[in-house]
Amino acid sequence: KITITFKEKLSGDYSIVIEDVKDKADNKMDKTTVPFTVGDITEPDHKEFKATLYKGGKEGQMLKIDFKDTMATDGKYSVTDIEKYVILDSEKTEIKKLEDIEGVEIDVVDDGKAIEIYVPSKNDVDEEDKNKSNKCLDLLDGYYVQIARVADAADNKMTVMAHNVLIEDSDTIYVDEKNVKATARNTI
């Protein structure tokens, strides 16, 4: 009997090839391929979660949360459950539960490894709704998103009940498309 310890966490279908093995009587075994499956038994690492803000405080603002693992999209621990997310300020004081804001949408992206949360900003709503807390929320770099317990697609749950993830601005530069002009063949 031999035990193989892999350096990396495995999940999925694999095969191991056995060749040039002899028994104690010096009988050589034929080359054999043995398929095996490793189920996902590792919980999502909440310390690896990343929250990136796009167009913060502008029309169409979006918060992308990268879980680095394929996550559950239905059931009690689904990442699409709006009740799992609370916005905190830089001091980690609660600002708003996303479930309390009208028009928040969640899309699953990156083969289930991330979600995009569209939160209406003050620029997304009518003038009369700009000061209504249930209509909009401007997100800022340096805020936190608190994520209540979620699970990966194999139903492995976070080890903690909730985790605060720092919201960071994206490296993307946004340009007002109304003022974009081509000034040369390769210059905009």
Side-chain angles (χ1 to χ4, degrees):
K1 176 180 178 180
I2 61 168
T3 301
I4 300 172
T5 304
F6 296 97
K7 292 181 181 181
E8 297 177 11
K9 295 177 183 177
L10 299 180
S11 178
D13 296 324
Y14 299 90
S15 293
I16 188 163
V17 178
I18 304 167
E19 64 183 322
D20 298 326
V21 175
K22 295 181 183 178
D23 65 14
K24 290 182 179 183
D26 208 31
N27 297 310
K28 187 176 179 183
M29 180 177 153
D30 291 336
K31 179 179 176 179
T32 305
T33 301
V34 179
F36 65 98
T37 301
V38 178
D40 181 0
I41 57 171
T42 306
E43 67 279 342
D45 186 354
H46 60 275
K47 294 176 185 169
E48 292 289 319
F49 293 177
K50 185 175 179 183
T52 306
L53 178 62
Y54 295 87
K55 299 175 99 174
K58 295 180 175 66
E59 189 175 331
Q61 86 178 340
M62 184 263 290
L63 180 62
K64 182 175 183 179
I65 301 176
D66 184 358
F67 297 102
K68 311 263 190 258
D69 194 357
T70 303
M71 302 300 285
T73 57
D74 56 14
K76 183 176 179 180
Y77 300 102
S78 170
V79 295
T80 61
D81 181 355
I82 195 69
E83 294 178 5
K84 300 284 185 199
Y85 306 98
V86 177
I87 301 299
L88 311 174
D89 66 16
S90 60
E91 303 296 319
K92 298 183 182 173
T93 302
E94 182 178 318
I95 295 175
K96 198 75 180 162
K97 294 177 179 80
L98 289 185
E99 67 185 279
D100 293 337
I101 303 171
E102 293 177 18
V104 174
E105 296 178 12
I106 298 179
D107 291 332
V108 178
V109 296
D110 299 340
D111 296 322
K113 292 183 178 183
I115 58 169
E116 293 176 347
I117 304 174
Y118 295 89
V119 180
S121 71
K122 288 183 179 179
N123 288 308
D124 287 312
V125 296
D126 296 333
E127 194 64 38
E128 62 195 45
D129 289 335
K130 288 188 188 299
N131 294 318
K132 294 180 180 176
S133 65
N134 68 329
K135 296 290 184 178
C136 60
L137 175 66
D138 285 353
L139 301 176
L140 299 175
D141 179 55
Y143 277 9
Y144 289 84
V145 58
Q146 183 178 77
I147 304 171
R149 181 174 268 176
V150 291
D152 64 17
D155 204 32
N156 300 304
K157 298 168 202 60
M158 285 172 36
T159 57
V160 295
M161 293 305 289
H163 180 66
N164 299 334
V165 180
L166 178 66
I167 296 174
E168 299 179 86
D169 263 334
S170 69
D171 296 329
T172 305
I173 298 172
Y174 293 95
V175 179
D176 180 358
E177 61 273 1
K178 296 174 188 167
N179 297 319
V180 175
K181 296 179 190 173
T183 58
R185 182 178 175 140
N186 295 327
T187 305
I188 297 178

